Every structure is written in C-alpha cells, then in structure tokens.
C-alpha cells in the first residue's frame, strides 16, 4: 500500500467519524445549514395574503411567547417599531430568525425555509403597522417625572441606575409598544411579568410581609420586600402564604395628568439601550 498525505488525511477523517460520532454529526449539521441558506433571495418570495395568514399562525406558535401575539414585545423585543438591531431587510430578518441572537434568549429555528419566510412576512406586517406610531409626549419632561414625581427609579434599573424591585427598563422602548407602556402606567396589574409576581406571607406572630417571589417550592418561599430586603421562610413555620393578584407597582391613573402620562410614555419609549 502506498501511504501518502492524501491517504493520511482520509484515514484521519475516517478515524474521527468512527471514534468521535459528534464530529460526523457536526459536519452533517453544518452541511444542512449551508444547504438551507444556499441561494437565499434578498426579497421574501412568500409574501402573499395567504402566506401572511399562515405566517401569523407560525408566529403565534413559535414566537409570541416572548414577542407577544401582535409583536408588541415582552421577554423578546418589540417588533412593531419596524427597526431591528440585526437588520430590517427580508434577508436579514430571515437570518435573524433562523440563527437566533447569540448572547440572548432567542434561539435559532429548525423550521423549513418556506415556514421561516412566512414568519418574516408577518413580522414585516406588524413592523409596518407600528412604524408610523410616534410618542406624542416630551421625553425630556418625562425624564423629570421618572426621576421625581413618578419615583420610577426607586424600583426600576435603567442604564445601570435605580432599584431592583421591578423589571429593568434599560431597553423597554425596544421591548414594549407605546400602548403597552401607557397601559402599564395606568393599570399595572393588567399584565404582570411572571418573574415579578408577588405574595404576602403571614408569620406565626401575625406579621405580614409582601414582596416579589424570588423562588418557591412546596416547603419554602423566598421574597424581596418593598425595601429590597431578602426574606426566606419555611412554609411550615408560617400562618399563611397568599399569592397577590395586584401588582406592587401603583396605578398612576389619578396621580398624573394626561400630559404627564404622555411625557412619561415618551421617556420610556426613548430607553433603547445602546441602540
């Protein structure tokens, strides 16, 4: 047998495939990925009204849990702005959905190319619908309300400053629509992030402590109270544990005028991280 560099190379490949199956699986997965993205068009070829309707169904099944059923945002970014960090063209949206966003909670997708294109069609529709929506208030005046009368910084972190009792607001302008921001100010109990649900515990001596539930199982519960102090309780030592339906955040419906409300919404809408 003649042993040359080519023989040695193929022998190494065979060895890797036999001894390390993950090597072969990785190669196979990479090939599939390359094939799926081959000759990808710049314009969405699946953008008919029927494709859009189907895309909405795919979106509701795969994306709405994080982005909201109308793309209004939540754990994922608000899609109604029509402007996205990783590009807003059809092709860029397709690749963002297909590959996911490294370093974030958004994973890649294993859906077929036609299915992904139909989701792109729906995302473009919600983006176009919200692109013209502009905050009517004065963001600078709203910042003064945020820091002063509203007391928002006491419970929310924005750009590294503020409290930890409520959700971080650094990128809230990307994550939530204007309507959602306004509703959250006027009726915060209408939609409570599961990570910020609250409960009241009653100790054996009758003391009542209310706070955000950090962790809970059948035997214990941990809370962060309204002063951001941490508490841990064994349920067997408590008189009662009462889940709360109302948000810890008060309603500003009667505390702010319509102008002040619009200004605060504009301020929150302007919070978009490093964008």
């Amino acid at each position: 047998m003649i042993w040359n560099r080519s023989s040695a190379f193929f022998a190494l490949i065979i060895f890797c495939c036999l001894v390390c199956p993950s090597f072969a699986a990785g190669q196979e997965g990479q090939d599939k990925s390359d094939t799926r993205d081959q000759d990808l068009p710049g314009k969405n070829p699946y953008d008919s009204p029927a494709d859009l309707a189907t895309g909405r169904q795919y979106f509701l099944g795969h994306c709405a849990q994080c982005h909201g059923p109308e793309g209004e945002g939540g754990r994922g970014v608000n899609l109604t702005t029509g402007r996205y960090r990783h590009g807003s063209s059809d092709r860029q949206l397709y690749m963002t959905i297909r590959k996911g966003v490294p370093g974030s909670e958004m994973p890649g997708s294993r859906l077929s190319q036609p299915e992904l294109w139909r989701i792109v069609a729906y995302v473009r529709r919600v983006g176009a619908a919200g692109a013209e929506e502009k905050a009517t208030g004065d963001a600078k005046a709203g910042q003064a309300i945020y820091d002063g009368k509203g007391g928002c910084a006491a419970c929310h972190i924005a750009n590294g400053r503020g409290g930890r009792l409520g959700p971080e607001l650094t990128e809230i302008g990307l994550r939530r629509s204007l309507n959602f921001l306004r509703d959250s100010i006027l009726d915060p109990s209408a939609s409570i992030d599961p990570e910020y649900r609250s409960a009241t515990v009653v100790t054996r001596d009758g003391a009542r402590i209310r706070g955000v539930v950090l962790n809970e199982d059948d035997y214990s519960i941990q809370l962060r109270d309204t002063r951001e102090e941490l508490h841990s309780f064994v349920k067997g030592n408590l008189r009662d544990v009462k889940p709360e339906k109302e948000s810890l955040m008060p309603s500003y419906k009667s505390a702010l005028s319509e102008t002040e409300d619009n200004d605060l919404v504009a301020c929150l809408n302007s919070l978009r991280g490093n964008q």
Side-chain angles (χ1 to χ4, degrees):
M1 175 180 179
I2 299 176
W3 188 264
N4 53 34
R5 289 184 180 179
S6 295
S7 300
F9 174 77
F10 287 114
L12 178 61
I13 294 296
I14 293 171
F15 174 81
C16 289
C17 290
L18 292 175
V19 177
C20 185
S22 61
F23 175 85
Q27 293 296 103
E28 182 183 5
Q30 185 62 41
D31 290 340
K32 286 181 179 179
S33 174
D34 290 345
T35 300
R36 183 161 51 161
D37 298 332
Q38 214 168 29
D39 301 322
L40 198 65
K43 185 181 184 303
N44 187 353
Y46 295 87
D47 61 355
S48 71
D51 291 321
L52 177 62
T54 303
R56 173 177 168 78
Q57 296 307 311
Y58 289 142
F59 184 91
L60 292 174
H62 296 275
C63 313
Q65 182 177 0
C66 292
H67 292 286
E70 300 300 328
E72 68 272 22
R75 290 173 60 190
V77 299
N78 172 21
L79 300 176
T80 66
T81 63
R83 294 179 288 111
Y84 313 112
R85 283 183 176 179
H86 300 279
S88 302
S89 71
D90 287 353
R91 182 187 175 94
Q92 288 168 327
L93 284 172
Y94 174 96
M95 292 306 297
T96 299
I97 299 169
R98 218 276 288 154
K99 288 190 172 183
V101 179
S104 77
E105 293 183 64
M106 181 169 171
S109 174
R110 301 178 68 88
L111 292 174
S112 69
Q113 190 174 109
E115 291 168 332
L116 291 174
W117 277 126
R118 288 175 176 123
I119 291 177
V120 169
Y122 182 70
V123 171
R124 292 297 291 245
R125 200 274 290 171
V126 298
E132 300 303 318
E133 186 182 31
K134 305 294 182 184
T136 58
D138 182 335
K140 187 174 181 179
Q143 185 67 55
I145 296 170
Y146 182 99
D147 292 328
K149 183 177 181 178
C152 308
C155 296
H156 299 278
I157 291 177
N159 298 315
R161 181 175 63 89
R164 298 177 298 161
L165 192 63
E168 182 171 354
L169 301 180
T170 299
E171 295 184 340
I172 195 66
L174 285 174
R175 295 182 174 276
R176 295 298 194 184
S177 67
L178 294 177
N179 286 337
F180 192 97
L181 292 175
R182 181 172 286 102
D183 291 343
S184 295
I185 294 169
L186 302 180
D187 187 10
S189 296
S191 178
I192 301 174
D193 187 326
E195 293 185 9
Y196 291 89
R197 65 186 178 90
S198 63
T200 297
V201 301
V202 183
T203 64
R204 289 271 178 89
D205 59 5
R208 302 173 70 86
I209 301 170
R210 187 183 181 192
V212 173
V213 179
L214 301 178
N215 187 47
E216 182 179 11
D217 55 34
D218 291 340
Y219 307 100
S220 65
I221 185 171
Q222 290 77 44
L223 301 176
R224 177 184 286 123
D225 70 16
T226 53
R227 294 179 297 179
E228 293 196 15
E229 294 181 0
L230 302 180
H231 301 268
S232 181
F233 301 96
V234 175
K235 288 184 175 179
N237 296 333
L238 296 172
R239 184 183 297 178
D240 191 19
V241 176
K242 179 185 176 183
E244 298 288 352
K245 295 182 180 179
E246 299 294 316
S247 172
L248 285 172
M249 177 177 165
S251 169
Y252 287 83
K253 191 169 186 177
S254 59
L256 299 178
S257 68
E258 183 177 352
T259 298
E260 290 173 324
D261 176 48
N262 289 335
D263 291 344
L264 184 54
V265 168
C267 169
L268 295 174
N269 181 247
S270 72
L271 296 176
R272 302 193 172 212
N274 296 322
Q275 188 183 35

